[in-house]
Amino acid sequence: MKVLNDHDPITFGKHKGKKLSEVPAEYFHWYWTKTERFSPALNEYIKRRIPAFEDENPDLIWTI
């Protein structure tokens, strides 16, 4: 499995083509809580970044 970093592009949705670092925490939260989590590489990226996403938007609730 490829390990994603902040410079990799997101490959779907309204932010498609943007660097992962440019995608807002709210979008990752939507993916994490409302979808089937279809991308193992993106799942791991989000897990690693949850503390930063919580700092960006403390109102979002993340569950692993």
Side-chain angles (χ1 to χ4, degrees):
M1 170 178 58
K2 178 177 168 48
V3 176
L4 297 176
N5 65 56
D6 289 339
H7 301 290
D8 288 312
I10 193 161
T11 60
F12 64 90
K14 67 181 182 178
H15 296 285
K16 184 176 180 175
K18 288 184 180 178
K19 293 178 184 178
L20 292 172
S21 63
E22 297 172 343
V23 177
E26 292 86 0
Y27 193 73
F28 289 119
H29 186 264
W30 165 81
Y31 169 85
W32 191 254
T33 61
K34 306 289 186 208
T35 71
E36 297 290 325
R37 297 188 199 171
F38 53 84
S39 170
L42 185 57
N43 298 344
E44 288 302 314
Y45 173 81
I46 291 171
K47 277 186 198 177
R48 289 192 322 268
R49 299 283 298 148
I50 285 176
F53 296 149
E54 289 174 328
D55 288 344
E56 182 181 330
N57 190 332
D59 293 333
L60 298 177
I61 298 172
W62 298 85
T63 57
I64 296 178

